[in-house]
Amino acid sequence: MRVPRLPRPRSLAGQLFAMQAVLIALVVAGYALFTYVSDQRQADDAAVRQVTAVARSIADAPSVRSAIHTSDPSAALEPYALQVMRDADVDFVTIMNPDGIRWTHPDRRQIGKRFLGRIDPAVHGHTFTETYTGTLGPSVRAVTPVEENGRVIGLVSAGIRVEAISARVQDQVTALLGVAGGTLLLGAVGTYVVNARLRRHTHGMNAAELSRMHDYHQAALHAVREGLLMLDGQYKVALINDGGRELLGVGPEEDAIGRSVADLGLPAPLTGALLSSQPRVDEVHLTATRVLMVNTSPVSGGERRGTVVTLRDVTELQSLMGELDSERGFTQALRSQAHEAANRLHTVVSLIELGRAGEAVAFATAELELAQALTDQVVAAVGEPVLAALLLGKTAQANERGVELVVSPDSRLDDGLFPEGLSARDLVTILGNLIDNAVDAAQGSAGARVSVTLYATDTELVLRVSDTGPGVDPAHAELVFQRGFSTKPAGPGGRGLGLALVRQAVTRHEGTLTVAESDEDGEGGAMFEVRLPLRSAVGDGR
């Protein structure tokens, strides 16, 4: 059994077209009716004025007075009355005596008979008009006295049939209906053109569908955790969801809407990406507290309509990737050390087989003492276990790359010194990236060396990393902390993120990060120094 399909509701454009067409029809019909009634009234008034003027003109004619005094007034007045009818375009002119007996009439058979209608006001010297049904049918007529020396010697009546008046109005109405029809047709065509454009813009959807789409749009906009930002053709914020406001750190939605991207206070690289006319795919950008993955796509449609921006928070992911890189480095260092340990073990075994047991013991003891000395040095200087492990791992990695990493004798960090707000992960991010950057810079230089100094005062924690590399150009002292800046060739994953992450972590903890020329062995190089406030110490008033 087939279920009958309900007709789809008319689209919004179709509803507006029908409404506008009906409205135009009603306006035109109302105007036509008003004009018809007005024209009818005007035609009646014009007829009254016309017959009154004709009747008064005849009554004032001297020839009419003279003809009335003759023995046969009809003989003189009848031709005159017929001539006036033709010239004045009236349907009848009747001249009669004061008693209402006709001297003239269009129908000669009515001459000598009594006039049909009132004459009393005229007999008393007054001109009046009325609509009366006489021998020629309903007519608008005027009756006026013919006076001589203050005495009424005759009466004159001129009239126009109502049918003739209606015929005049019908001609006007025909023209009016033509204009009204043309107006209605023009309005309908204009309305159709406007609504066809509206139909394209609304994709043929009706009001209920548009309302439902808006509700879905709002629900989806606020349900998506990723940031969504829409910019208009002038790069002003047209729409931003809750996730976008949180990730970008902008104020309430009402404050952000309508503002230019350049006025949002975002970092320069991120602002440049948002203002670019070219699409961006999975670009990493940093704000004061977050690492964002940014994608931009221009809105299609021919002209510049705007840009859609999606934002993903990859702060945790980037941190985990950093830890993964450190673990990968540790693994490679352990693999290398295992290889070296195997070589040393083979050497010890070979010495024993050659009967040189004493030399074998001395060789093995020297290697153990060297490794133990390094461990003792790091552990003695840095009581924080996470940082100690980081330094030991970085030392092994640096050795593999031909760089000596040392912890300066001035270093001293006790375990349990850091407040809860200063997490070990942030310290690993800061120190690990600084060491990696220093090892990259020092690698390949004569006497490649990286020196790490860590100590704490009553109010702050100081982390200092120096290297024997080429140093930092003073002109680039600020640029090195921006995401994407690097003096080294970019690898598969890009460069210039490590120092930017360091600066982000330092800024998050209200610290300072500076770069200066290193005095490491008098060879120049760069020295990066981080100072982080110890809030617990400040709070205790120490």
Side-chain angles (χ1 to χ4, degrees):
M1 176 181 179
R2 295 185 60 185
V3 179
R5 176 177 294 181
L6 296 177
R8 183 176 181 270
R10 187 184 296 271
S11 68
L12 178 62
Q15 295 177 18
L16 289 178
F17 173 75
M19 182 183 302
Q20 291 172 349
V22 171
L23 181 61
I24 291 176
L26 290 177
V27 170
V28 172
Y31 175 74
L33 178 62
F34 170 78
T35 304
Y36 173 78
V37 173
S38 177
D39 287 350
Q40 182 69 48
R41 186 181 300 109
Q42 291 177 1
D44 291 342
D45 293 342
V48 169
R49 289 193 299 270
Q50 182 179 358
V51 296
T52 300
V54 171
R56 293 295 298 271
S57 297
I58 295 173
D60 292 338
S63 60
V64 173
R65 296 192 189 96
S66 299
I68 291 176
H69 291 296
T70 63
S71 59
D72 187 8
S74 295
L77 294 177
E78 177 67 11
Y80 175 73
L82 293 177
Q83 182 65 37
V84 171
M85 285 173 52
R86 290 190 295 270
D87 294 342
D89 193 21
V90 294
D91 291 321
F92 69 88
V93 172
T94 299
I95 303 174
M96 67 198 88
N97 63 18
D99 295 327
I101 301 302
R102 301 186 185 100
W103 285 326
T104 66
H105 195 277
D107 185 359
R108 297 185 63 85
R109 293 174 301 178
Q110 303 297 328
I111 295 176
K113 296 182 180 180
R114 184 173 293 279
F115 179 76
L116 300 180
R118 293 190 308 132
I119 60 173
D120 292 343
V123 171
H124 291 86
H126 301 292
T127 301
F128 72 96
T129 60
E130 66 175 352
T131 300
Y132 191 84
T133 302
T135 57
L136 300 179
S139 63
V140 175
R141 60 180 64 179
V143 182
T144 188
V146 179
E147 296 179 327
E148 187 179 50
N149 299 324
R151 184 171 59 89
V152 176
I153 61 175
L155 303 175
V156 178
S157 177
I160 300 176
R161 291 179 299 163
V162 173
E163 181 180 352
I165 298 174
S166 299
R168 297 179 185 178
V169 175
Q170 287 176 358
D171 293 339
Q172 297 177 352
V173 170
T174 300
L176 173 64
L177 291 177
V179 173
T183 303
L184 181 60
L185 178 61
L186 181 62
V189 171
T191 301
Y192 176 81
V193 172
V194 172
N195 283 277
R197 182 179 179 85
L198 178 62
R199 188 180 299 108
R200 289 196 302 270
H201 287 308
T202 59
H203 302 284
M205 291 186 290
N206 58 46
E209 290 172 331
L210 288 174
S211 177
R212 185 164 55 250
M213 176 174 289
H214 176 268
D215 293 339
Y216 290 158
H217 169 270
Q218 290 296 319
L221 182 66
H222 295 287
V224 173
R225 295 187 60 187
E226 287 75 13
L228 180 63
L229 181 68
M230 294 187 182
L231 308 177
D232 61 17
Q234 286 72 45
Y235 296 100
K236 293 182 179 180
V237 178
L239 183 148
I240 185 170
N241 69 345
D242 299 338
R245 291 191 296 105
E246 180 180 356
L247 294 179
L248 295 179
V250 300
E253 183 176 357
E254 307 81 50
D255 296 339
I257 298 298
R259 293 178 60 187
S260 173
V261 170
D263 298 333
L264 294 179
L266 302 177
L270 178 56
T271 300
L274 297 182
L275 292 177
S276 174
S277 59
Q278 300 299 322
R280 304 297 181 96
V281 179
D282 290 342
E283 281 195 0
V284 177
H285 289 273
L286 279 77
T287 65
T289 59
R290 298 178 184 274
V291 181
L292 302 179
M293 188 79 74
V294 179
N295 288 272
T296 67
S297 176
V299 178
S300 60
E303 70 274 12
R304 172 73 193 177
R305 294 190 176 184
T307 306
V308 177
V309 182
T310 58
L311 307 167
R312 282 181 292 160
D313 186 4
V314 293
T315 305
E316 293 295 328
L317 177 61
Q318 193 65 47
S319 178
L320 292 174
M321 289 178 63
E323 294 182 11
L324 179 59
D325 290 340
S326 296
E327 295 296 333
R328 186 180 293 113
F330 294 158
T331 302
Q332 292 175 353
L334 289 174
R335 184 181 297 113
S336 178
Q337 289 182 357
H339 180 72
E340 289 297 321
N343 289 336
R344 295 188 183 100
L345 182 59
H346 284 305
T347 301
V348 171
V349 171
S350 297
L351 287 173
I352 294 175
E353 289 177 347
L354 293 174
R356 295 182 168 182
E359 295 181 15
V361 172
F363 178 80
T365 302
E367 291 295 327
L368 290 175
E369 288 178 351
L370 180 61
Q372 187 62 44
L374 176 62
T375 302
D376 291 342
Q377 180 189 6
V378 171
V379 172
V382 182
E384 170 63 38
V386 174
L387 292 184
L390 174 68
L391 289 172
L392 289 173
K394 293 298 182 183
T395 300
Q397 293 179 37
N399 289 335
E400 291 298 321
R401 298 173 63 180
V403 178
E404 180 185 7
L405 191 151
V406 298
V407 178
S408 70
D410 299 332
S411 298
R412 183 66 184 179
L413 283 181
D414 297 328
D415 189 11
L417 176 67
F418 307 136
E420 294 182 0
L422 188 57
S423 66
R425 171 176 290 183
D426 288 339
L427 289 175
V428 169
T429 296
I430 295 172
L431 187 57
N433 281 289
L434 288 179
I435 293 176
D436 289 340
N437 186 73
V439 171
D440 285 341
Q443 186 177 8
S445 64
R449 178 186 177 93
V450 173
S451 177
V452 179
T453 303
L454 306 94
Y455 65 90
T457 67
D458 290 341
T459 59
E460 61 183 359
L461 170 66
V462 180
L463 308 176
R464 187 180 301 128
V465 179
S466 304
D467 63 70
T468 58
V472 177
D473 188 340
H476 297 159
E478 184 63 25
L479 294 176
V480 294
F481 300 116
Q482 294 185 8
R483 191 268 169 196
F485 180 87
S486 178
T487 59
K488 300 179 286 295
R495 284 191 178 273
L497 184 60
L499 290 179
L501 289 174
V502 171
R503 186 175 202 177
Q504 182 190 70
V506 171
T507 302
R508 187 163 57 246
H509 292 286
E510 301 178 4
T512 59
L513 173 60
T514 58
V515 58
E517 184 177 352
S518 172
D519 56 359
E520 188 74 21
D521 292 339
E523 298 293 335
M527 180 182 69
F528 290 85
E529 183 178 84
V530 174
R531 291 180 177 269
L532 301 175
L534 298 176
R535 294 184 180 86
S536 61
V538 175
D540 293 339
R542 291 185 291 167

